[in-house]
Amino acid sequence: MSKIIVLIGAPGAGKGTQARLLQERLNLPQISTGDILRTRSEAGDPMGEEIRELQAAGKLAPDSLVIRVVQERTASADCRNGYVLDGFPRTLAQAEMLEGLAAEQKNRLVPIAIDVPFDELEKRTTGRRQCPVCGEIYNMYFKPPRHDETCDRDAGVKLVRRADDTIDKVRVRLETYQEQTKPLLDYYSKSGRLHRIEGTGEKETIYKSIEQIVRES
């Protein structure tokens, strides 16, 4: 039976980083609803406009929209041997939908929660900057560039911040996570499937903990 690795954590907890490592090292496709929605927001149709409005307000996408995205993506051939979900499910309604999808695909769910204090999450997210040329990611608190807000690799190129990484919008997302997503921990814990790891260490240390869980589940 193949596995669906469900990474649970607040925005900035490192789900995307760990999902990419799992994809590279275990050959499991990373399904990032955040990335898919950001890409989809560039389309000039009603769905794209709906997503742009949500992003501008710092709000999370509703269940109905996210579910459509996940169903479409996981129907692809590269997901037949399992995959990693980064940013889904976020609500109990989404979790219930995922149970049905896993059963239909004959996959086993492996939920893993990455725990990080909210004060650190704010710094991780609001301090995030990226080079628009090479894609290098910095953090003004933890990994600042050598010169002001310009890229170390591409001299003189100004780093950019995502529109939804301002402090007000970050706090909206964290509050929404607290209200809607954390009940997932109880949901998966009651069935004895939830695994929890500390998410404040080095990324390789965190990855090793996750990989061990995946291999033993």
Side-chain angles (χ1 to χ4, degrees):
M1 179 179 288
S2 299
K3 301 170 184 176
I4 301 174
I5 313 305
V6 180
L7 297 181
I8 303 171
K15 301 185 300 297
T17 297
Q18 296 304 321
R20 284 190 291 275
L21 290 174
L22 287 167
Q23 177 174 255
E24 293 168 4
R25 300 176 187 182
L26 299 185
N27 198 31
L28 293 172
Q30 174 196 7
I31 311 300
S32 169
T33 53
D35 289 347
I36 295 172
L37 288 169
R38 275 189 288 274
T39 299
R40 193 68 178 77
S41 71
E42 298 174 2
D45 57 17
M47 181 182 288
E49 182 178 353
E50 178 184 358
I51 296 171
R52 287 194 297 274
E53 290 176 355
L54 290 167
Q55 291 174 335
K59 295 181 180 180
L60 299 177
D63 292 344
S64 57
L65 177 60
V66 180
I67 285 171
R68 294 202 307 271
V69 170
V70 173
Q71 285 178 320
E72 180 180 68
R73 176 64 183 88
T74 59
S76 300
D78 64 335
C79 293
R80 289 177 182 171
N81 296 320
Y83 47 90
V84 181
L85 287 174
D86 164 19
F88 181 89
R90 289 189 175 174
T91 67
L92 291 179
Q94 292 177 5
E96 290 169 356
M97 173 268 170
L98 181 59
E99 296 282 0
L101 184 61
E104 179 182 329
Q105 297 174 341
K106 296 181 173 57
N107 287 333
R108 178 189 301 120
L109 289 173
V110 182
I112 303 173
I114 302 175
D115 296 324
V116 179
F118 269 32
D119 59 344
E120 180 165 342
L121 288 170
E122 283 191 0
K123 290 182 178 179
R124 286 187 182 186
T125 311
T126 60
R128 184 166 50 197
R129 302 290 190 277
Q130 186 170 21
C131 175
V133 176
C134 69
E136 180 71 13
I137 296 175
Y138 299 85
N139 187 285
M140 306 311 292
Y141 298 102
F142 306 117
K143 184 191 171 185
R146 289 192 295 268
H147 304 290
D148 297 324
E149 292 201 17
T150 59
C151 183
D152 295 342
R153 295 182 179 181
D154 294 281
V157 176
K158 187 75 173 177
L159 302 178
V160 297
R161 178 170 67 176
R162 281 179 10 196
D164 55 351
D165 277 352
T166 62
I167 186 63
D168 290 341
K169 292 176 182 177
V170 167
R171 286 177 176 169
V172 168
R173 296 208 306 275
L174 291 176
E175 289 170 3
T176 301
Y177 169 82
Q178 184 76 15
E179 294 171 1
Q180 295 185 353
T181 311
K182 289 199 74 173
L184 290 176
L185 303 180
D186 291 335
Y187 177 82
Y188 288 122
S189 181
K190 287 177 181 177
S191 63
R193 292 176 293 175
L194 181 66
H195 303 272
R196 304 190 74 147
I197 62 169
E198 176 59 49
T200 56
E202 295 294 327
K203 69 177 183 181
E204 287 295 334
T205 302
I206 297 169
Y207 173 77
K208 288 178 181 177
S209 297
I210 293 176
E211 184 182 36
Q212 183 177 357
I213 291 169
V214 171
R215 293 190 183 282
E216 295 178 353
S217 297

